[in-house]
Amino acid sequence: MKTYHAVFLSPVGLIQLRGCAAALTGVFMEEHRHLPALPVDSVEDRAPFREAWRQMEEYFAGARRDFSLATEAKGSPFNERVWQELRLIPYGETATYAEIARRIGNPRAMRAVGLANGRNPISIVVPCHRVIGANGTLTGYGGGLERKRFLLGLEANAICPSEFPS
């Protein structure tokens, strides 16, 4: 299966999209923690990402709340269950790691939920930025806490898309 990648400029800096002809497999920000190496046969090409990038631009403009893209994230069955649950957190809302653990039927797995959340390969589209600490604090984010703060603020209509700190 042929894989593709392309880099786009967004309000939170450069974003790398990865995928194949059938699905988006990665959305990674600059200095992204847990950034996997590009497959050696990956081809740089923006064409496969036209629809994904159009939807991302709409999201950053405040005109899109949900993504309708074919995605494919590979991970352990536990990670995949967490990533599915992340998709159920509504735009503009947050959930705690404990809430996600309860929702997947494993209430003591808060740390494991945190690890799975941090390894989500399709950030923004699978909204791992909407998961916060039990006391409401912003905790770890693969793209960095400033980006998490920005995305949550964007969704709360508290900031303009051009206000990300440089």
Side-chain angles (χ1 to χ4, degrees), residues 59 62 91-92 94 129-130 138 145-161 163:
Y59 169 81
Y91 179 95
T94 58
H129 61 278
R130 295 179 188 155
L138 299 187
L145 288 180
E146 281 302 312
R147 287 182 180 91
K148 183 173 190 164
R149 186 173 292 108
F150 174 87
L151 295 170
L152 291 173
L154 176 72
E155 292 184 10
N157 294 316
I159 60 171
C160 172
E163 292 180 3

Side-chain angles (χ1 to χ4, degrees), residues 62-82:
R64 174 171 289 276
R65 293 173 169 250
D66 297 302
F67 292 91
S68 57
L69 299 167
T71 60
E72 186 177 304
K74 294 194 188 302
S76 71
F78 180 85
N79 285 359
E80 290 179 11
R81 177 69 184 105
V82 169

Side-chain angles (χ1 to χ4, degrees), residues 78 82 96-98 100-101 104 106 109-118 131:
F78 180 85
V82 169
T96 66
Y97 297 98
I100 299 297
I104 64 168
N106 198 342
M110 295 159 310
R111 284 192 174 162
V113 164
L115 292 172
N117 195 59
V131 182

